[in-house]
Each structure stands twice: as structure tokens, then as C-alpha cells.
Amino acid sequence: MRILSIDTATPAASAAIVDGGRILAECLLTGQKNHSQRLLQIIDRLFDWTGTARESIDLIAVSIGPGSFTGLRVGISTAQGLAFALDKPLAGVPTLEVVASQATGGDGLISPMIDARKQQVYASLYSRTGSDLTQVKPATVLDALAWVESLTGPAVLIGAGAMVYYDRIAACAAAKGCSIVPEHLGIPRASALAILSQAKYAASAGRPELVSALYVRPPDAFFDEAKK
Amino acid sequence: MIILGIETSCDETAAAIVSNGSEILSNVISTQVDYHKKYGGIVPEIASRKHQENIIPVVREALDRAHMQLQDIQGIAVTQGPGLIGSLLVGVNAAKAIAYARSIPLVGINHLEGHMLAPHLECDIPLPNITLVVSGGHTNIYYMEKVGSYRLLGKTRDDAAGEAYDKVAKLLGLGYPGGVVIDRLAQNGNPAAFSFPRPMMHDASCDFSFSGLKTAVLYCVKNNFPDGVPENVLPDLAASFQQAVVDSIVEKTLQACIVCKVSAVALTGGVAANSRLRLHMQQRAQERKISLYLTSTILCTDNAAMIAKAGSFKLAHDLPFPYEMNAISRWPL
């Protein structure tokens, strides 16, 4: 199965082409403000470099959040447009699960944490047994320290959310026996997303409009007068 | 050339298919007005989320209604701005991905130019002309020399006309969107019952101002009806307010025709669907021997047929693919 995967849920943007579980090419840009300008360029390079015909893709997989609302719109709109125009199934993959799948180490609890700003993180808890990831707590958004305090046992903390608020959470994490994965390993990777989607999300992939974002945080409802 | 137009700049998810820049094969508009009603205005984040859900179904529907496949589309035109950034991003990125996947040309369109060309979908309008774009976000008078060459003669210095309708509707407790509610209520009201100012009517510029008018309505209500406006007075208030807006718009627009020695005027944008504005513009343009071109209601509102129309002048097969195209929230024309 040949997969084109896309993640733009955080300030990092990545895309990959993975064939039969083997990464053919992956591109990652970090600290980008403008995924909208870069994403399709990256995808075009990947097709070009790997000599892959656009029509030969079997599945498109996209990161559905939680994360930056703007980033999610860029990634999901692009993925939906590609899947629609190429007539390929689209799979939506939770970003926190992608990050959790990147944790090193053996079996146990993994807590992916994505920076949600305002001192908060998008977080959830997974249990790993072999290569299986099972969600223990659903995705939520809350104060970074409150999240770590809510953990009942040692877990591997991974993702930018754990690093951005490191100073606030480090003592509590240590007291609970949690380890914190180095920042570079916690950047969501399209290659990890593709591999996860093949194992778990390919079967339920379908029409592109069936994929929706996992925002977790509700919209701020206020009257906006900015449109002039 | 068969063009797919995509428009997501505000709270309408729209897609249309236009052939040879003139024939509308389909024109699908999915409005979100019901989702924003309870907030009394558009909530940008809700708008963006709705666009995300609707974009592919709306494009599918446009193809279905035109009895076409995506393979039949030869180019795509998408609203690139101005508008709500999150809303624009959905349309721009979907359009880029579809055009890229199909290897067809893509062009970004200024929403205002789309509105300006909407009347041209229905008939040949003499050039040069004066075009009034009047909506919830804009009240602009343009001198249109030819397609692609527009001179902004005047605009609102504060609220857009549609914004004034929304704000007055809100303060009268009439709900959202204001234009439709006030227009309907005003049908049974006396437009001379209350005397409201016509700001900048006798000013030499082509500029408008509507925020003072809104304040005048507010004080009129406070002073005359401290316990709330009686139900039977509402139509008179609505009609009097509406007449003040209409007088300003009609006078300034026709004034622009005279100053520029142009004998054709076109009306476009959401507020151009207002029945009173259409009626008065018709009467007064006739008196001054100016030909008026009204746009059908469905093309006044935000739609993608006008975007495809604008695209028909710009799309060519040899255009380099605009990989870096981005949404532009503020983009004056």
C-alpha cells in the first residue's frame, strides 16, 4: 500500500510517501508560519523525487489534530482536495496518537502533549503493548501542570507541550516517575502518521468529506468586526 | 474554457461552474446563516469549521448539477481575499490541491473584483461604467474602465452599509442578518415617519459614512421609546432608517456617474438585493437618463459564479502553478 501522508497540526509541517511500510521520502519543515505556502510544494517535491505518479497513491492520510486551527485547515483542506481530485480514500489520524507512536522505550503508558498556548496542552494517554497503542484517556485541553498532576502513574511524556512548559511540569513529572522525551523526537512526523494509518486507519478511510478535524477546544464565540 | 469557481471568504461556502465566461452551468451556495444567528453576527472560527465540512460536498454538488465530472474542468478560480482568513484558507488550499492533482491552471481572485463582474454574467454592460459594490463588508464606488481596470472613487469611512443594517437590526432586537429583516419590515412602514441624517450627502467626495446614522437610530429609540420600541412603530423605524441608507447610496452613486460623465451604472453585492434600493435607484437613474444594471439576487450575494467569471479573464494554460498562493485577509481593490 502506497500512502501520501500530511501533518500540519503544529508549527512543524511534514509530508511523506510511504510504500508497504517503507519510507520512500519525507520532508519536515519546522518553525514555519506559513504552511499554506509550503505544503503543496513539499508534496510536489516528494512525488518528483520518488518518481511516484500522483494516481499511483492508494491512500492519503492526514493529521486531524488537536493542534493549531490554522494548520489543521491547511492540512485537511489540502488532503481533502487531493483525495477528491485523485479519487482516493482519505484517512484522518489523531495527531496525539502520531506523537505517542514516536515515543522510544518499551511497553507502558505514553502521554503525548501538544502546546495549546495559554499555558495549556492538548494531551491524552495511551498504553503501549508491543506495537499496539490503546487510548486510555481521550484527548483534552487543560493546564499543562494540571495534566501532569492528573497522571496516576509513571508515563513517557512526549511532544512540544512537554518541552514548552518544562519548567512548570518537571518537578511533578519527576515525582511521578515520568520521563520526558527530547524535543526533536516529539515533532509529529508524516512518516509515523503513514505507518500508523496503514496499521489502524486505512480500513476506515473513505470519502474525503468524512474526515473532520479534532479541534478539542471549542470556538471562541464573539462578534468579529475585523472584516472590512 | 470550463471553469470551477470556489468562494469561501465569509460565511457562504460556494462553488460554481461557468462555461466560456458567460454560461452558468451550476451555482451552489451553502449558507451558514443559521449557525451564526444566535451570536448576532458571524463567528469566524465557526465559519471556518463549517467551510471545512462543506467544501468538498459543495464542489461535488456543483459538478453534479452541471452534469459534469472533475475531468471536464479546465481551470479553477478561487477567492484569495479579502475576507476572514480561516475561511479563505479552506477554499484556497482545497482549490490548490484539486488543481494540482488534476494538473489544471489555478488563479486567485479578489472577492471585490468577483462582485464587480457579477452583473456581467447576465448582460453586456457598457464600458466605462460606474459599479457600486455594496455588502456587509464594503460600500465602494468604482469607475470601471474595462475588465481589470478599476478606479476606486469612494468608499465608506466607517461602517459598510450591510454592517449598518446588522447593527440597527440588533439594537431594534430584530435579529440577524439585518438587511433581510429590515427590508421586510420596512415594506409596511412610513419612510418619512422619522427624520434620520443622510451623512455626507452633500459632500463633494464619493465617500459614505453610516456609523452616525446608526447612532441617530440609537438615540431616537432612547429618547422616544425609553421603555422599548412598540411593535407597531418598528416598521416606521425600519423604513425611515432604510430610506436614509438608500438616499445616501443612490445620490452618491448617481453623482459619480455625472462627475465621470458615464451613463451606465451597475449594482452588485449583498445589499444590492435590497428591494428599496433597487426601486429608488431605478427611479432616479431614469430621471437622470442613466442606464441601470441590476444583478439578480442570487448573484448579488457571495457566490462562486462571479469568481469563475473573473477567472475567465485571467486563466491561461501556460500559467506557472501558484504553489505559494496564500489567503489574503486584507486586499484592497
Side-chain angles (χ1 to χ4, degrees), chain A residues 34 36-38 41 44 47 54 69-70 73 76-78 80 85 207 209 215 217 219-221 223-224 226, chain B residues 39 41 43-45 48-49 52 56 60 70 86 89-90 93 96-98 100-101 103 158 323-324 326 330:
Chain A
N34 230 325
S36 182
Q37 282 177 288
R38 294 283 163 257
Q41 272 184 321
D44 185 55
F47 279 125
R54 295 165 207 178
F69 294 166
T70 299
R73 288 194 241 293
I76 294 174
S77 301
T78 302
Q80 285 181 333
R207 285 158 77 96
E209 55 265 54
Y215 296 105
R217 188 181 262 162
D220 292 330
F223 186 60
D224 184 285
Chain B
Y39 302 103
V43 181
E45 181 56 28
S48 306
R49 293 182 182 192
Q52 191 76 72
I56 298 296
R60 258 192 226 284
L70 195 52
L89 277 173
V90 173
N93 282 285
K96 280 169 76 173
I98 295 170
Y100 171 77
S103 300
D158 38 61
Y323 287 101
E324 298 199 25
N326 202 0
R330 283 165 195 270

Side-chain angles (χ1 to χ4, degrees), chain B residues 82-263:
Chain B
L84 301 169
I85 192 74
S87 294
L88 289 165
L89 277 173
V90 173
V92 165
N93 282 285
K96 280 169 76 173
I98 295 170
Y100 171 77
R102 295 288 320 145
S103 300
I104 53 176
L106 168 72
V107 69
I109 300 294
N110 185 306
H111 179 77
L112 288 163
E113 186 173 17
H115 273 309
M116 291 187 68
L117 295 173
H120 298 246
L121 274 164
E122 298 184 303
C123 60
D124 287 328
I125 297 173
L127 293 165
N129 66 53
I130 294 295
T131 299
L132 171 76
V133 181
V134 57
S135 67
H138 303 90
T139 314
N140 294 359
I141 298 179
Y142 290 95
Y143 174 80
M144 179 171 174
E145 199 191 335
K146 57 178 195 225
V147 173
S149 173
Y150 318 107
R151 187 152 51 92
L152 181 63
L153 299 176
K155 60 182 169 67
T156 179
R157 294 193 180 169
D158 38 61
D159 293 349
E163 209 174 342
Y165 268 96
D166 284 342
K167 287 178 177 174
V168 166
K170 199 169 188 175
L171 76 88
L172 295 178
L174 300 175
Y176 171 87
V180 180
V181 199
I182 288 180
D183 197 7
R184 197 188 317 126
L185 206 57
Q187 313 269 341
N188 306 315
N190 173 9
F194 295 90
S195 166
F196 291 127
R198 272 73 170 151
M200 303 184 69
M201 265 272 269
H202 304 292
D203 168 288
S205 78
C206 289
D207 286 350
F208 299 96
S209 166
F210 294 108
S211 95
L213 172 58
K214 169 204 67 194
T215 311
V217 177
L218 176 70
Y219 279 103
C220 168
V221 168
K222 269 192 179 165
N223 295 336
N224 297 318
F225 312 104
D227 304 322
V229 184
E231 199 75 9
N232 62 339
V233 178
L234 279 174
D236 285 349
L237 262 175
S240 302
F241 159 75
Q242 174 154 283
Q243 194 58 48
V245 175
V246 167
D247 284 345
S248 301
I249 295 176
V250 170
E251 211 41 56
K252 287 273 176 173
T253 308
L254 296 179
Q255 190 60 36
C257 293
I258 291 161
V259 170
C260 295
K261 301 188 173 59
V262 165
S263 61

Side-chain angles (χ1 to χ4, degrees), chain B residues 11 25 32 40 44 53-54 62 67 87 100 108 117 121 148 173 182 202-203 244 246 258 265 276 278 291 306 312 326:
Chain B
D11 64 337
L25 302 179
Q32 312 174 351
E53 292 170 20
N54 291 338
H67 305 291
S87 294
Y100 171 77
L117 295 173
L121 274 164
I182 288 180
H202 304 292
D203 168 288
V246 167
I258 291 161
V265 62
R276 190 85 184 167
R278 292 166 89 97
S291 332
M306 67 186 195
S312 71
N326 202 0

Side-chain angles (χ1 to χ4, degrees), chain B residues 23-39:
Chain B
E23 196 189 347
I24 302 173
L25 302 179
S26 65
N27 187 20
V28 177
I29 303 169
S30 166
T31 181
Q32 312 174 351
V33 69
D34 289 344
Y35 298 99
H36 299 286
K37 239 177 201 163
K38 60 179 169 184
Y39 302 103

